[in-house]
């Protein structure tokens, strides 16, 4: 338990500097220290982690405190969900969306305090570096396109951060759960990861929105492009997770050696980062059910393929 408390403290103190690493430490530490313990101890762990994250954020500036608290909450929520066996694909998506919304709200609040908006601030940042872009050979037309793109897809930056925080928090909690099998629920099998239908509905709606933007000039507003584009960029991470789950399932079914297993997953992550390959695999699995999962059937609470 002592090691878990130390990791929680370190995670809280580092949340204002490197939030993904902080989520990893808090996810591991909170579960290792609090699993199977009394409610009073759990409450103390939560309160202590939040206080230390606030202190750590304040060390780097008062503006870092809210984001540090969000990172700590992601780690704590992931530890709790893993302990209770409720870290379903749907729950993971909800935690990531809540974290992204919180980060966006915090950034927008600071922008409003400076009597501007976050989109305008980011566009202004590009404008302030115009000379650097021109020195790099970027022509004014391309620079104008960059400014417009930044003004439209900036929310995806925060969804990317939230997805990374959740990934690290889940990894930490899963590592701790492997050492505490007698005190936590069975960790869902990632090879059976299957997105809930509401996430698929968001993907379909985003695609329809982009199709309308491209084909209906009268409806082609920046607002429509912003909502549909960012929804698609955000759902992409969920689809990528499903694609990698398909790979994990097939590798495991073929009893792939550990070294080759790790190399294959790492290469899949590279392909996703460069060419969005695993997102397409995940989309194909949703349509064709490559793993023959019992979709639509009543799943047990331990089934990682649960659809809600």
């Amino acid at each position: 338990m002592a090691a878990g408390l130390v990791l929680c403290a370190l995670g809280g103190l580092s949340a204002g500097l490197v939030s993904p690493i902080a989520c990893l430490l808090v996810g591991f530490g909170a579960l290792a220290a609090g699993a199977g313990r009394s409610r009073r101890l759990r409450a103390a762990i939560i309160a202590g982690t939040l206080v230390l994250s606030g202190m750590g954020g304040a060390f780097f500036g008062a503006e870092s405190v809210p984001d540090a608290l969000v990172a700590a909450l992601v780690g704590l929520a992931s530890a709790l969900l893993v302990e209770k066996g409720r870290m379903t694909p749907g729950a993971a998506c909800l935690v990531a969306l809540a974290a992204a919304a919180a980060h966006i709200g915090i950034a927008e609040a600071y922008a409003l305090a400076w009597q501007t908006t976050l989109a305008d601030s980011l566009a202004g940042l590009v404008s302030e570096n115009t000379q650097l872009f021109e020195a790099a050979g970027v022509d004014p037309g391309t620079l104008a396109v960059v400014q417009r793109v930044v003004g439209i897809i900036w929310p995806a930056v925060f969804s990317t951060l939230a997805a990374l925080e959740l990934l690290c928090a889940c990894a930490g909690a899963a590592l701790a759960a492997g050492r505490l099998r007698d005190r936590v629920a069975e960790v869902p099998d990632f090879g059976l990861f299957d997105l809930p239908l509401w996430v698929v509905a968001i993907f379909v709606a985003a695609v329809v929105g982009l199709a309308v933007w491209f084909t209906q000039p009268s409806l082609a507003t920046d607002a429509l492009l912003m909502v549909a584009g960012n929804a698609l960029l955000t759902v992409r991470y969920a689809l990528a997770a499903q694609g990698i789950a398909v790979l994990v399932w097939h590798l495991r079914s073929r009893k792939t050696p550990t070294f080759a297993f790790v190399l294959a997953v790492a290469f899949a992550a590279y392909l996703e980062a460069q060419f969005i390959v695993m997102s397409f695999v995940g989309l194909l699995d949703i349509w064709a059910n490559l793993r023959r999962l019992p979709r639509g059937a009543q799943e047990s609470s331990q089934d990682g393929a649960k659809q809600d």
Side-chain angles (χ1 to χ4, degrees):
M1 185 179 73
L5 293 175
V6 170
L7 289 176
C8 271
L10 291 175
L13 292 173
S14 63
L17 179 63
V18 280
S19 62
I21 300 301
C23 289
L24 176 68
L25 295 175
V26 172
F28 187 105
L31 188 59
R37 307 292 182 179
S38 66
R39 291 185 178 181
R40 180 175 296 181
L41 177 59
R42 292 184 185 183
I45 291 172
I46 293 172
T49 301
L50 293 176
V51 169
L52 289 174
S53 65
M55 294 172 57
F59 180 80
F60 299 102
E63 66 279 0
S64 299
V65 173
D67 286 314
L69 291 173
V70 171
L73 286 171
V74 170
L76 292 169
S78 299
L80 177 62
L81 289 171
V82 169
E83 179 187 357
K84 301 299 183 182
R86 296 179 180 176
M87 184 55 86
T88 63
C93 290
L94 287 175
V95 171
L97 288 175
H103 284 308
I104 290 173
I106 292 166
E108 191 66 49
Y110 280 122
L112 291 174
W114 288 95
Q115 297 182 340
T116 183
T117 65
L118 186 55
D120 290 340
S121 297
L122 294 173
L125 184 62
V126 176
S127 298
E128 290 173 4
N129 291 278
T130 298
Q131 292 183 347
L132 294 177
F133 285 107
E134 291 177 347
V138 180
D139 63 86
T142 302
L143 183 57
V145 172
V146 170
Q147 287 179 306
R148 186 163 188 264
V149 170
V150 168
I152 290 174
I153 68 168
W154 61 263
V157 175
F158 295 94
S159 63
T160 301
L161 174 61
L164 184 57
E165 289 176 342
L166 176 66
L167 175 63
C168 291
C170 288
L175 287 173
R179 299 166 176 257
L180 304 167
R181 298 185 185 277
D182 58 329
R183 286 193 279 155
V184 300
E186 182 180 355
V187 178
D189 184 354
F190 180 69
L192 300 179
F193 181 97
D194 199 26
L195 290 172
L197 296 179
W198 61 266
V199 176
V200 180
I202 292 175
F203 169 78
V204 173
V207 171
V208 171
L210 289 177
V212 170
W213 187 85
F214 278 111
T215 60
Q216 302 294 325
S218 61
L219 300 176
T221 63
D222 283 351
L224 175 61
L225 179 60
M226 186 176 189
V227 172
N230 283 284
L232 191 60
L233 289 172
T234 299
V235 172
R236 170 236 175 140
Y237 297 114
L239 292 174
Q242 178 128 347
I244 293 176
V246 172
L247 174 64
V248 168
W249 186 86
H250 281 284
L251 290 174
R252 190 177 56 209
S253 66
R254 288 163 174 74
K255 299 181 179 179
T256 305
T258 302
F259 183 72
F261 187 102
V262 172
L263 282 181
V265 173
F267 185 62
Y270 170 80
L271 291 177
E272 173 60 26
Q274 295 295 322
F275 309 109
I276 323 181
V277 171
M278 302 314 296
S279 293
F280 284 107
V281 174
L283 186 61
L284 179 62
D285 181 58
I286 291 173
W287 175 66
N289 196 4
L290 301 175
R291 294 166 290 173
R292 299 294 184 266
L293 299 179
R295 293 171 178 164
Q298 183 67 34
E299 307 287 344
S300 67
S301 60
Q302 286 79 25
D303 190 347
K306 190 173 181 180
Q307 286 279 322
D308 52 31

